[in-house]
Amino acid sequence: MTLPIPRPVREWRDVDKTRFREEIMPIGQPAVLRGAVADWPAVQAESIGSYLRGFDLSANCEVLIGAPSAGGRFFYGDHFGVMNFQKRAATLGALVDKLEQGSESALAAQALILPQILPAFAAENRLALVDDTVEPRMWIGSRVIVACHYDALSNLACVVAGRRRFTLFPPDQVRNLYVGPYESTPAGAPISLVDFDAPDLERFPRFAEAMAVAQIAELAPGDALYIPYMWWHHVRSLDALNVLVNYWWSEAQGAVLAPLDCFVHALLALRELPEEQRAAWAGMFDHFVFRAHGDPMAHLPHEMQGLLGHASPEQVRALRAQLAQMLARKG
């Protein structure tokens, strides 16, 4: 079976913060921002290794080391309880040296918080599209493959060195991506079990449906990619030394609990109910939580809406305490 070819992610140029927030983000689709960080000193440097050595690289970081036989893919080993890579502590300088020398093993340091590990780099290379309160993170490595996963945050990924290819899927494709265990993951987020280089369509037949709506983007140094909240993305680094800086942030206003906490609670509370009871709760969630039909409490005065409307800070504190007591009793 021949899989559908993903369509290219829409491209934009000359994007400022106003255009990004008012024109691009409301579309709710991935967006390639060509040349968004082309003026960064790190991007303009003739050698990213030499540029990085202009900073203090003595800080330790955790390095993922994958065997050559893995083909750069960080994934599970012989079973879901083990991974096909190891983790070792090293200085950032030692990692840069190793990447420049070349390595048969796959090497990567992920999500390094730049203001902590390389504050001078962060100060020299700033992104005007996000608020200054959003912390930049660095990803540096060899030709590695990050399995398809999602982030429960909005994301801007900026390519500094090397090229990267992203394959993206909307959140509703979770049913077609065959997600692995929640408790055991390569990097914290549940991942798709499908090998994108050699998809097993007998084991994962619905993956073809996911590819029918997939989008693909190849980024060069200076380009950025906007990945909307909860979009699944598979990431392939294409060169021997790749550096990316990303920005995660939340658009949530007024949320008092993390959505993931609610999801885990719902798994425990609702999943094993009889089908008709799950259907009943699906209706409640659609109406009161997801507001599928508009404001569910518009027929009541604001002061009488309570939890089903917009709870006051005092009500939120009381409800959090009540929830903690309920969970303690169930323990």
Side-chain angles (χ1 to χ4, degrees):
M1 179 181 180
T2 302
L3 289 173
I5 299 175
R7 65 182 175 90
V9 173
R10 182 177 175 182
E11 297 186 8
W12 305 72
R13 295 182 182 272
D14 302 320
V15 175
D16 59 16
K17 187 174 183 179
T18 299
R19 191 180 184 200
F20 175 63
R21 295 200 62 86
E22 296 183 2
E23 189 174 342
I24 296 175
M25 286 187 63
I27 297 173
Q29 293 284 317
V32 171
L33 313 182
R34 292 292 182 200
V37 295
D39 61 344
W40 279 10
V43 174
Q44 295 185 348
E46 291 186 10
S47 163
I48 186 60
S50 298
Y51 177 78
L52 288 171
R53 290 191 187 92
F55 304 100
D56 179 3
L57 301 183
S58 62
N60 278 320
C61 58
E62 184 178 74
V63 179
L64 278 57
I65 306 172
S69 59
R73 185 186 185 211
F74 293 133
F75 197 66
Y76 296 102
D78 294 334
H79 56 84
F80 289 126
V82 299
M83 303 301 160
N84 70 348
F85 57 88
Q86 299 178 328
K87 296 179 180 179
R88 295 285 185 270
T91 65
L92 187 55
L95 174 60
V96 172
D97 290 344
K98 191 67 175 176
L99 290 169
E100 284 197 318
Q101 295 163 7
S103 171
E104 292 184 359
S105 300
L107 302 174
Q110 301 181 326
L112 305 176
I113 302 175
L114 276 174
Q116 297 178 12
I117 197 167
L118 279 178
F121 180 103
E124 279 193 13
N125 301 273
R126 299 174 65 87
L127 184 66
L129 301 180
V130 298
D131 294 339
D132 289 340
T133 55
V134 180
E135 286 188 322
R137 296 171 183 259
M138 175 181 283
W139 308 67
I140 178 170
S142 59
R143 291 183 177 90
V144 300
I145 299 170
V146 177
C148 191
H149 64 285
Y150 70 89
D151 301 314
L153 293 164
S154 300
N155 188 4
L156 263 172
C158 306
V159 176
V160 174
R163 295 164 298 128
R164 295 206 182 212
R165 182 180 300 135
F166 291 76
T167 307
L168 303 107
F169 306 86
D172 63 6
Q173 290 304 303
V174 59
R175 67 177 299 272
N176 297 324
L177 291 173
Y178 298 91
V179 178
Y182 171 85
E183 294 83 1
S184 174
T185 71
I191 65 168
S192 169
L193 299 181
V194 180
D195 182 349
F196 280 40
D197 287 335
D200 184 347
L201 296 181
E202 290 189 4
R203 184 182 177 192
F204 308 123
R206 294 194 309 274
F207 182 63
E209 297 180 39
M211 289 299 291
V213 296
Q215 299 183 41
I216 194 166
E218 187 165 317
L219 276 65
D223 296 335
L225 175 67
Y226 169 56
I227 306 175
Y229 180 88
M230 294 286 284
W231 272 67
W232 291 81
H233 47 287
H234 175 275
V235 189
R236 184 188 302 271
S237 300
L238 300 174
D239 293 305
L241 199 168
N242 303 270
V243 179
L244 178 142
V245 173
N246 91 298
Y247 299 79
W248 280 316
W249 75 97
S250 173
E251 292 289 320
Q253 299 292 330
V256 296
L257 293 175
L260 183 59
D261 296 341
C262 173
F263 177 71
V264 173
H265 194 171
L267 288 176
L268 297 175
L270 303 178
R271 182 175 51 190
E272 304 304 328
L273 294 178
E275 182 178 357
E276 69 275 9
Q277 293 183 21
R278 294 200 307 273
W281 279 108
M284 294 284 280
F285 271 69
D286 280 346
H287 186 58
F288 290 108
V289 178
F290 302 119
R291 301 187 176 187
H293 310 290
D295 186 351
M297 302 304 290
H299 58 284
L300 283 180
H302 179 80
E303 65 274 11
M304 297 302 297
Q305 293 180 6
L307 174 63
L308 298 179
H310 296 279
S312 68
E314 294 76 15
Q315 289 173 312
V316 168
R317 285 193 291 270
L319 289 166
R320 288 172 65 101
Q322 182 182 358
L323 180 59
Q325 293 173 358
M326 292 163 58
L327 291 172
R329 287 199 299 270
K330 295 295 183 181

